């Protein structure tokens, strides 16, 4: 029953061999059932045939080596092995029962007298098991572990790893394929090739176009060789255009070359990656081949195992059929146990070798996994790079296409325009050419005529130098003659001009003389708002609308008529007044001395007429401005210098209003140079050149006048203010010199204070005022009466104005009249005085700057009842001020700070102190 056994060849199934060997070595109870064939090389395992008796299909299943899937086969095999183990355990139980039966039989035989050796043997075997094996005891349960759990786990892990590896391999292969398809290196290369081909094509096209266009243009240029022809300009512009296109094409070529280089680099990188992928694939293939080999071996081992199992089953069947031979079997088991141990050891050795192979396979698998991960990472990077490169390539390609498109369009447009322009111009040129040819044909006879003319002209040209010399000489003579004539004419004209100038001067003088050397104007000031509110404003004055020289005055019921040179009504403006005065002012430029007085009682408007107000200046400022404009007009021929002095006469005392110390008294003296001229030592003169200078001078004069008195208004009423303007001219062309003096005098009030019984200082002021006004009246009366003696020296005023009152001087007296009824008697006095003065005519024949030595009594003014003071008849010529330097040195140095400031402003300005 135990003599039959099944044998499997495990030589090609190391895993199963290992499994079986391990199980056998661990379970001694299976020794009796798992016996190795002593003749094989350890690759065969013998199992009790009975173990397979209950599962005949196992062999057939194990031999299914041609299963479609190795994994399925392994799994099936494992299941079968487990099942087989369970059956083996049941067989062991069965064997144990058989042994018990055998023991019982032997006991019975002993009792019957035979078989004692067998019992002893059996007992010995049971009591003394062989080395390394546990003796099978009665009642022992069969072993539960024919395959150890570690091996199961190992097989499972191996299987799992194999599965994973295969999956990864599959994924990797797919990835490689996908990468190959995605990389599209060939597409890029194709694109590149296409671009290169397109570029070459464009280049050739451009070259051919350029050559054809240039040929056309050259032909056109040759056909029209004129330098002014627009074709040459067009050709030039087209050449420039072509060169620009060429430069752009070169830039694009360079860009293309860069792209090619980048593509080559990327291709080389892809190649490297492909190589790495191939290496990985090869390694995976190797691993797969090894795995296939292991599977194949396993299949073979399974096949062998199934054969042996079948044999074991047969053997078990035979043993079961055979009569019981317990002793032999036992002996055989004992004998065969040594062989089994040997086979077991060999199997263990093989098992260890297989373990090593397994560990090597695992290591290999790990390496392959690592490589796979590396490859995956590299693939991911490469994919990213490829995406980036593709994007760049697409962009570059898009740009290139767009630029090429633009270039193409631009090129076509330019060519079309050039063609159109060239055609139209060619047409025009052809037309012109045809016209020119026609003209040429028609001009040929004319050319012949011209040739004859040319020959004549040539001859003339040859003779021309002689003719030219002759003509030049003649022209020179004529020019010299003309120059001498022009020069003489010029001289004549200059002489006439001088004569005309003198004539104009004489005419002007005559005009002034005809108007009267002493002219008297009257101005009636308006009634102010306060006067209208305060008193009776019924005016006693009336005007003749037809005659502006008549004034009517109703006084005490008696109508008086005054005839003057001009009467200004209250509504007359400053400008109206100055219009009548300005001819006198301009005669000053011609070298005449002019004197303008403002005469009248206090508050009648003298200061208003002479000085005016800020916004509406009077005669003083207007006269200076007129002088400036006149001398400016005459500037090319005449060089004029205008100087200004300001003097105040208060209580017969002369004060210098522009000096540093206005309280100092000035004196009128004979000039020590023997010229017989009068001069005022210390009188300050400022040269003025602009209206701003005038303003500064007036400001300083006012300031000094205010400094010298406590109440300026009262003081101004009691003093005479003189503005002395000297105009010196020099004509560089004629060498003529002129000097005129304009005296603008704001006289003190003329009211009869003396009659009111004033005392003290007011009496003295009144006496001085009346003295000077009386002296003025005497002088005018003496002049009118052509007295041999004119009492200039009776007052400071007349003495100072001597040269402006005598000779061919011109005098204007502006009689100011108040319209108020309360001032009527004073107005009558003023007007009577004015009318008497008007009747005086200064004699131009009388010598200037000389006063009569006779001491005729001067007639007193009706309204001035003070006696004239005795005068000393010493004829003294008056001259202008002495040097300022002496004035400044002699003057006391105590001016107020404000005055000093104004003085310094004047000094630093354009005003100059006259030396
Ligand atoms: N034509 C005029 N239009 C407007 N106002 C005038 C005119 N004439 C004089 N006045 C005004 O009358 C007032 C007295 O004039 P103004 O001071 O000139 O008199 P005056 O004769 O100079 O006096 P005094 O002798 O005291 O100096 C001033 O307020 C002045 O503005």
């Amino acid at each position: 029953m135990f003599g039959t056994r099944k044998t499997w060849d495990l030589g090609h199934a190391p895993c199963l061999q290992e499994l079986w060997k391990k199980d056998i070595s661990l379970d001694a109870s299976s020794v009796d059932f798992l016996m190795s064939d002593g003749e094989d090389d350890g690759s065969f395992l013998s199992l009790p045939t009975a173990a397979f008796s209950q599962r005949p299909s196992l062999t057939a299943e194990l031999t299914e080596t041609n299963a479609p899937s190795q994994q399925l086969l392994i799994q099936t095999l494992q299941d079968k092995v487990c099942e087989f183990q369970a059956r083996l355990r049941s067989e062991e139980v069965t064997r144990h029962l058989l042994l018990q039966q055998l023991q019982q039989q032997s006991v019975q035989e002993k009792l019957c007298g035979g078989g004692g050796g067998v019992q002893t043997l059996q007992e010995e075997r049971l009591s003394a098991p062989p080395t390394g094996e546990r003796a099978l005891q009665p009642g022992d349960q069969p072993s539960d572990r024919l395959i150890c759990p570690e091996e199961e786990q190992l097989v499972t892990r191996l299987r799992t790893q194999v599965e994973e590896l295969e999956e990864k391999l599959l994924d990797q292969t797919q990835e490689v394929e996908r990468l190959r398809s995605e990389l599209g290196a060939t597409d890029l290369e194709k694109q590149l090739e296409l671009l290169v081909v397109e570029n070459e094509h464009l280049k050739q096209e451009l070259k051919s176009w350029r050559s054809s266009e240039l040929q056309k243009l050259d032909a056109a240029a040759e056909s029209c060789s004129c330098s002014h022809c627009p074709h040459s300009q067009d050709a030039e512009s087209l050449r420039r255009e072509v060169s620009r296109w060429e430069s752009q094409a070169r830039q694009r070529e360079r860009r293309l070359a860069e792209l090619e280089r980048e593509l080559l680099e990327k291709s080389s990188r892809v190649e490297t990656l492909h190589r790495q992928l191939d290496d990985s694939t090869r390694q995976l293939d190797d691993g797969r081949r090894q795995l296939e080999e292991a599977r194949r071996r396993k299949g073979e081992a399974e096949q062998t195992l199934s054969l042996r199992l079948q044999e074991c089953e047969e053997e078990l069947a035979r043993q079961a059929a055979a009569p019981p031979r317990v002793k032999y079997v036992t002996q055989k088991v004992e004998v065969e146990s040594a062989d089994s141990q040997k086979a077991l050891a060999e199997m263990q050795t093989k098992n260890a070798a297989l373990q090593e192979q397994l560990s090597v396979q695992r290591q290999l698998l790990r390496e392959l996994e690592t490589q796979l991960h590396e490859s995956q990472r590299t693939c991911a990077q490469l994919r990213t790079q490829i995406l980036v490169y593709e994007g760049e390539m697409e962009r570059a390609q898009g740009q290139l296409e767009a630029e090429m498109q633009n270039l193409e369009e631009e090129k076509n447009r330019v060519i079309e325009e050039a063609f159109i322009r060239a055609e139209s111009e060619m047409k025009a040129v052809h037309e012109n050419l045809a016209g020119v040819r026609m003209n040429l044909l028609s001009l040929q006879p004319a050319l012949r005529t011209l040739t004859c003319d040319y020959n004549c002209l040539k001859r003339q040209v040859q003779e021309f130098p002689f003719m030219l010399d002759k003509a030049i000489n003649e022209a020179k003579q004529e020019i010299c003659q003309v120059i001498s004539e022009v020069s003489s004419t010029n001289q004549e004209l200059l002489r006439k001009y001088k004569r005309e100038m003198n004539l104009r001067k004489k005419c002007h003088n005559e005009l002034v003389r005809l108007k009267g050397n002493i002219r008297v104007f009257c101005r009636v000031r308006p009634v102010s708002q306060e006067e209208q509110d305060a008193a009776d404003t019924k005016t006693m004055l009336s005007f003749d609308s037809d005659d502006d020289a008549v004034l009517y005055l109703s006084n005490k019921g008696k109508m008086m008529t005054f005839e003057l040179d001009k009467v200004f009504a209250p509504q007359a403006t400053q400008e109206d007044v100055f219009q009548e005065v300005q001819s006198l002012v301009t005669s000053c430029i011609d070298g005449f001395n002019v004197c303008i007085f403002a005469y009248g009682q206090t508050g009648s408007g003298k200061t208003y007429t002479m000085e005016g107000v800020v916004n509406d200046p009077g005669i003083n400022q207007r006269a200076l401005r007129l002088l400036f404009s006149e001398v400016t007009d005459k500037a090319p021929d005449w060089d004029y210098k205008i100087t200004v002095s300001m003097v105040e006469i208060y209580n017969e005392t002369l004060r210098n209003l522009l000096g540093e110390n206005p309280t100092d008294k000035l004196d009128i003296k004979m000039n020590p140079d023997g010229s017989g001229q009068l001069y005022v030592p210390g009188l300050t003169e400022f040269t003025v050149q602009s209206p701003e200078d005038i303003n500064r001078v007036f400001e300083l004069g006012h300031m000094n006048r205010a400094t010298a008195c406590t109440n300026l208004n009262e003081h101004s009423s009691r003093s005479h203010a003189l503005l002395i303007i000297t105009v010196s001219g020099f004509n560089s062309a004629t060498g003529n010199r002129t000097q005129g003096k304009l005296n603008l005098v704001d006289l003190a009030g003329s009211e009869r204070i003396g009659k009111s019984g004033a005392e003290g200082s007011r009496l003295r002021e009144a006496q001085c005022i009346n003295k000077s006004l009386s002296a003025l009246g005497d002088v005018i009366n003496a002049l009118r009466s052509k007295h041999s003696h004119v009492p200039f020296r009776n007052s400071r005023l007349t003495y100072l104005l001597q040269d402006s009152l005598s000779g061919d001087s011109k005098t204007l007296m502006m009689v100011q009249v108040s319209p108020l009824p309360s001032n009527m008697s004073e107005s009558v006095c003023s007007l009577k005085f004015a009318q008497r003065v008007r009747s005086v005519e200064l004699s131009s024949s009388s010598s200037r700057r000389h006063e009569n030595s006779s001491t005729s009594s001067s007639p007193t003014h009706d309204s001035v009842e003070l006696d004239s003071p005795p005068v000393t008849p010493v004829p003294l010529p008056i001259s202008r001020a002495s040097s300022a330097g002496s004035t400044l040195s002699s003057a006391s140095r105590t001016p107020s700070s404000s005055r000093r400031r104004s003085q310094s402003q004047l000094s630093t300005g354009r005003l100059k102190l006259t030396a």
Side-chain angles (χ1 to χ4, degrees):
M1 161 182 182
F2 293 98
T4 59
R5 57 177 183 172
K6 278 278 185 184
T7 304
W8 290 274
D9 186 5
L10 298 177
H12 300 293
C15 298
L16 282 178
Q17 280 181 344
E18 193 80 13
L19 188 147
W20 285 111
K21 282 174 188 174
K22 273 192 176 181
D23 192 64
I24 288 165
S25 66
L26 289 171
D27 194 356
S29 62
S30 63
V31 170
D32 291 340
F33 307 100
L34 300 174
M35 293 171 290
S36 175
D37 192 342
E39 295 171 3
D40 70 16
D41 58 355
S43 60
F44 289 92
L45 184 66
S46 298
L47 285 175
T49 312
F52 298 96
S53 60
Q54 294 178 2
R55 187 66 189 270
S57 62
L58 179 65
T59 308
E61 289 174 6
L62 284 171
T63 54
E64 289 173 0
T65 54
N66 294 326
S69 170
Q70 294 288 336
Q71 287 84 5
L72 192 63
L73 183 62
I74 289 166
Q75 181 65 39
T76 311
L77 187 59
Q78 293 296 328
D79 294 339
K80 299 300 177 196
V81 166
C82 293
E83 200 176 354
F84 178 68
Q85 284 173 349
R87 285 179 188 278
L88 208 58
R89 280 194 294 273
S90 68
E91 287 295 326
E92 195 176 2
V93 171
T94 309
R95 189 178 66 90
H96 186 67
L97 289 172
L98 282 170
L99 277 173
Q100 281 181 341
Q101 284 176 0
L102 279 171
Q103 282 174 354
Q104 286 170 0
Q105 280 180 2
S106 66
V107 168
Q108 284 172 1
E109 282 174 4
K110 265 185 182 176
L111 289 173
C112 291
V118 174
Q119 186 187 12
T120 308
L121 239 163
Q122 187 71 25
E123 284 173 356
E124 283 176 7
R125 188 183 174 280
L126 289 171
S127 60
T131 309
E133 288 184 13
R134 185 176 67 86
L136 186 61
Q137 298 297 327
D140 270 359
Q141 292 299 319
S143 174
D144 290 332
R145 296 180 62 256
L146 286 176
I147 299 171
C148 72
E150 289 174 3
E151 286 172 344
E152 280 181 6
Q153 287 175 3
L154 184 67
V155 169
T156 309
R157 231 179 12 249
L158 189 62
R159 195 174 59 217
T160 313
Q161 285 178 357
V162 167
E163 283 173 4
E164 287 173 359
L165 202 60
E166 281 182 349
E167 283 175 8
K168 286 178 183 172
L169 187 63
L170 191 64
D171 290 341
Q172 192 70 23
T173 310
Q174 288 173 355
E175 186 69 22
V176 167
E177 289 302 322
R178 196 177 62 76
L179 277 173
R180 279 192 176 169
S181 62
E182 281 184 3
L183 264 174
T186 50
D187 293 345
L188 285 173
E189 286 166 3
K190 279 178 188 167
Q191 283 180 5
L192 183 66
E193 284 174 6
L194 281 172
L195 283 173
V196 170
V197 169
E198 195 178 353
N199 190 29
E200 286 299 323
H201 175 68
L202 282 170
K203 272 197 240 173
Q204 285 176 1
E205 197 178 338
L206 183 69
K207 201 186 284 179
S208 63
W209 173 82
R210 187 176 60 188
S211 60
S212 65
E213 287 299 310
L214 284 173
Q215 280 172 3
K216 284 179 190 172
L217 287 169
D218 289 342
E222 282 172 9
S223 66
C224 183
S225 59
C226 181
S227 61
H228 302 296
C229 181
H231 283 300
S232 60
Q233 295 169 5
D234 279 349
E236 194 59 35
S237 66
L238 281 171
R239 277 195 197 97
R240 280 199 295 275
E241 192 73 17
V242 165
S243 65
R244 194 167 64 79
W245 287 114
E246 279 178 350
S247 67
Q248 286 185 0
R250 277 197 291 279
Q251 285 177 0
R252 276 165 181 72
E253 279 175 12
R254 279 200 291 277
R255 176 73 186 142
L256 210 59
E258 287 174 7
L259 284 172
E260 281 176 6
R261 271 203 302 281
E262 285 181 15
L263 199 63
L264 281 174
E265 286 173 5
K266 286 170 187 169
S267 301
S268 66
R269 281 195 209 169
V270 169
E271 283 294 321
T272 313
L273 285 170
H274 279 171
R275 274 199 297 279
Q276 287 177 356
L277 275 172
D278 289 342
D279 290 343
S280 301
T281 312
R282 261 200 307 282
Q283 286 175 357
L284 278 171
D285 288 342
D286 291 344
R288 200 182 293 158
R289 270 198 301 280
Q290 287 176 3
L291 194 66
E292 289 292 326
E293 184 69 22
R295 281 176 187 164
R296 192 179 57 75
R297 283 184 188 176
K298 189 178 76 178
E300 288 173 1
E302 283 171 358
Q303 201 174 4
T304 313
L305 200 60
S306 66
L307 285 173
R308 285 208 178 182
L309 191 63
Q310 199 175 0
E311 286 173 4
C312 280
E313 282 176 350
E314 287 172 359
E315 186 66 23
L316 276 172
R318 266 199 312 273
Q319 289 292 330
R325 289 179 298 170
V326 175
K327 192 177 178 181
Y328 171 73
V329 169
T330 305
Q331 284 176 349
K332 194 171 180 180
V333 166
E334 285 175 354
V335 170
E336 286 180 353
S337 67
D339 295 335
S340 298
Q341 283 178 0
K342 191 180 167 188
L344 189 63
E346 288 175 357
M347 291 300 283
Q348 282 175 349
T349 312
K350 285 185 180 178
N351 198 12
L354 284 171
Q355 286 280 0
E356 280 180 13
Q357 284 184 4
L358 192 63
S359 65
V360 169
Q361 286 292 327
R362 279 184 201 146
Q363 184 66 28
L364 193 64
L365 272 172
R366 275 197 292 276
E367 288 175 359
L368 283 172
E369 279 177 6
T370 313
Q371 286 182 0
L372 193 64
H373 286 142
E374 287 290 328
S375 299
Q376 281 174 346
R377 246 195 330 273
T378 313
C379 277
Q381 290 174 353
L382 283 171
R383 209 176 297 138
T384 314
Q385 283 184 357
I386 285 164
L387 285 173
V388 171
Y389 292 152
E390 278 178 356
E392 285 181 4
M393 283 292 290
E394 279 178 9
R395 259 199 319 280
Q397 195 177 355
Q399 286 177 357
L400 199 62
E401 283 175 359
E403 286 179 4
M404 291 300 285
Q405 183 72 23
N406 290 337
L407 285 174
E408 186 69 26
E409 289 172 0
E410 186 73 14
K411 184 187 79 178
N412 291 335
R413 192 179 58 73
V414 169
I415 289 169
E416 280 178 12
E417 286 177 3
F419 270 139
I420 291 165
R421 211 167 43 242
E423 277 178 2
S424 62
E425 285 168 3
M426 279 294 287
K427 203 171 163 187
V429 166
H430 280 308
E431 287 172 1
N432 286 337
L433 206 62
V436 167
R437 277 182 189 147
M438 292 297 292
N439 286 335
L440 273 175
L441 289 172
S442 62
L443 283 173
Q444 274 176 357
L447 189 67
R448 278 193 289 275
T449 314
L450 283 172
T451 311
C452 294
D453 293 345
Y454 169 74
N455 291 329
C456 291
L457 282 171
K458 200 173 173 182
R459 278 194 299 278
Q460 287 179 7
V461 165
Q462 284 168 356
E463 294 166 2
F464 181 75
F466 307 106
M467 290 166 66
L468 185 68
D469 287 342
K470 192 177 168 190
I472 286 171
N473 289 330
E474 287 174 359
K476 274 181 184 172
Q477 286 171 3
E478 284 177 9
I479 287 168
C480 288
Q481 193 177 346
V482 167
I483 286 172
S484 62
E485 285 174 6
V486 166
S487 177
S488 60
T489 310
N490 210 13
Q491 291 291 331
E492 179 64 21
L493 282 173
L494 199 62
R495 194 178 56 75
K496 282 181 181 173
Y497 169 74
K498 282 180 185 173
R499 198 184 63 206
E500 288 301 319
M501 284 297 290
N502 289 330
L503 199 61
R504 190 193 71 80
K505 199 170 165 184
K506 280 179 187 167
C507 286
H508 181 77
N509 195 18
E510 186 64 19
L511 180 70
V512 173
R513 192 188 62 74
L514 285 172
K515 283 185 178 180
N517 275 347
I518 296 179
R519 304 181 70 198
V520 182
F521 291 171
C522 173
R523 187 177 190 185
V524 181
R525 75 161 173 85
V527 180
S528 68
Q529 190 65 41
E530 295 83 31
E531 289 165 345
Q532 277 181 353
D533 298 340
D536 179 21
T537 57
K538 189 181 173 214
T539 179
M540 303 294 173
L541 297 171
S542 55
F543 304 89
D544 191 340
S545 56
D546 297 329
D547 190 354
D548 60 356
V550 178
L551 177 68
Y552 303 106
L553 190 146
S554 170
N555 187 23
K556 298 174 186 171
K558 202 170 91 180
M559 180 64 75
M560 301 174 75
T561 303
F562 295 96
E563 279 191 33
L564 303 164
D565 292 307
K566 177 84 180 174
V567 175
F568 295 101
Q571 58 271 16
T573 62
Q574 301 278 61
E575 180 61 29
D576 295 338
V577 175
F578 188 72
Q579 285 290 332
E580 295 295 324
V581 173
Q582 64 181 1
S583 61
L584 285 174
V585 175
T586 50
S587 66
C588 164
I589 297 172
D590 296 330
F592 288 97
N593 290 336
V594 181
C595 202
I596 299 174
F597 296 100
Y599 176 88
Q601 68 174 117
T602 300
S604 58
K606 299 185 293 294
T607 309
Y608 184 87
T609 297
M610 298 308 291
E611 294 181 9
V613 289
V614 177
N615 296 327
D616 198 7
I619 292 171
N620 292 1
Q621 270 207 34
R622 288 173 193 267
L624 275 166
R625 289 186 185 191
L626 180 66
L627 288 175
F628 282 137
S629 82
E630 288 289 318
V631 300
T632 307
D633 290 347
K634 294 187 173 187
D637 299 324
W638 286 87
D639 182 23
Y640 282 102
K641 178 182 162 194
I642 300 172
T643 57
V644 175
S645 299
M646 282 181 81
V647 175
E648 182 193 59
I649 301 172
Y650 177 69
N651 284 350
E652 284 301 299
T653 307
L654 203 63
R655 284 185 182 146
N656 180 16
L657 290 180
L658 298 182
E660 283 194 347
N661 194 351
T663 54
D664 287 351
K665 295 176 184 175
L666 299 178
D667 203 1
I668 305 168
K669 289 185 178 175
M670 181 69 70
N671 202 331
D673 61 0
S675 61
Q677 300 285 314
L678 284 174
Y679 82 109
V680 181
L683 180 64
T684 307
E685 281 186 342
F686 282 116
T687 302
V688 289
Q689 293 171 337
S690 67
E692 289 76 29
D693 295 346
I694 304 164
N695 291 335
R696 287 184 202 143
V697 166
F698 287 166
E699 199 181 328
L700 178 65
H702 278 287
M703 205 177 295
N704 284 339
R705 204 174 181 194
T707 310
C709 62
T710 49
N711 187 337
L712 180 63
N713 288 332
E714 259 190 37
H715 179 82
S716 68
S717 301
R718 309 273 164 253
S719 62
H720 310 297
L722 285 87
L723 175 69
I724 303 164
I725 302 166
T726 309
V727 183
S728 310
F730 172 69
N731 190 328
S732 54
T734 60
N736 285 352
R737 286 182 186 275
T738 61
Q739 179 168 310
K741 192 186 281 185
L742 175 63
N743 298 283
L744 302 168
V745 187
D746 181 6
L747 292 170
S750 62
E751 61 272 20
R752 292 170 292 176
I753 293 171
K755 277 190 173 179
S756 62
E759 293 177 352
S761 62
R762 292 301 294 269
L763 179 62
R764 164 115 176 100
E765 280 175 356
Q767 286 173 344
C768 290
I769 291 166
N770 286 333
K771 178 185 170 191
S772 59
L773 292 177
S774 175
L776 181 64
D778 290 345
V779 166
I780 292 172
N781 197 33
L783 290 170
R784 185 190 64 176
S785 310
K786 296 186 174 34
H787 288 170
S788 56
H789 171 73
V790 180
F792 288 112
R793 300 188 65 175
N794 282 358
S795 78
R796 294 279 175 187
L797 177 67
T798 51
Y799 195 22
L800 188 64
L801 296 175
Q802 180 179 341
D803 56 348
S804 300
L805 291 171
S806 58
D808 54 356
S809 299
K810 304 169 201 314
T811 302
L812 168 68
M813 178 169 285
M814 181 70 74
V815 179
Q816 293 288 145
V817 174
S818 168
L820 296 177
S822 56
N823 296 328
M824 267 316 116
S825 62
E826 290 295 336
S827 299
V828 170
C829 290
S830 298
L831 286 167
K832 282 182 177 173
F833 176 71
Q835 202 151 23
R836 275 202 301 278
V837 168
R838 184 173 174 265
S839 63
V840 175
E841 189 171 335
L842 294 177
S843 169
S844 59
S845 59
S846 65
S847 65
R848 293 178 59 202
R849 301 185 186 96
H850 283 81
E851 65 178 3
N852 200 322
S853 58
S854 66
T855 56
S856 62
S857 61
S858 59
T860 52
H861 189 275
D862 286 351
S863 59
V864 181
E865 294 176 353
L866 289 174
D867 294 329
S868 298
V871 292
T872 310
V874 182
L876 288 173
I878 193 164
S879 75
R880 284 183 292 112
S882 65
S883 73
S886 62
T887 306
L888 289 172
S889 59
S890 61
S892 70
R893 303 285 177 185
T894 56
S896 66
S897 59
S898 61
R899 199 157 43 78
R900 190 187 291 278
R901 193 165 55 248
S902 295
Q903 189 85 25
S904 67
Q905 281 175 0
L906 286 167
S907 300
T908 53
R910 285 191 293 162
L911 289 170
K912 287 180 269 178
L913 280 170
T914 304

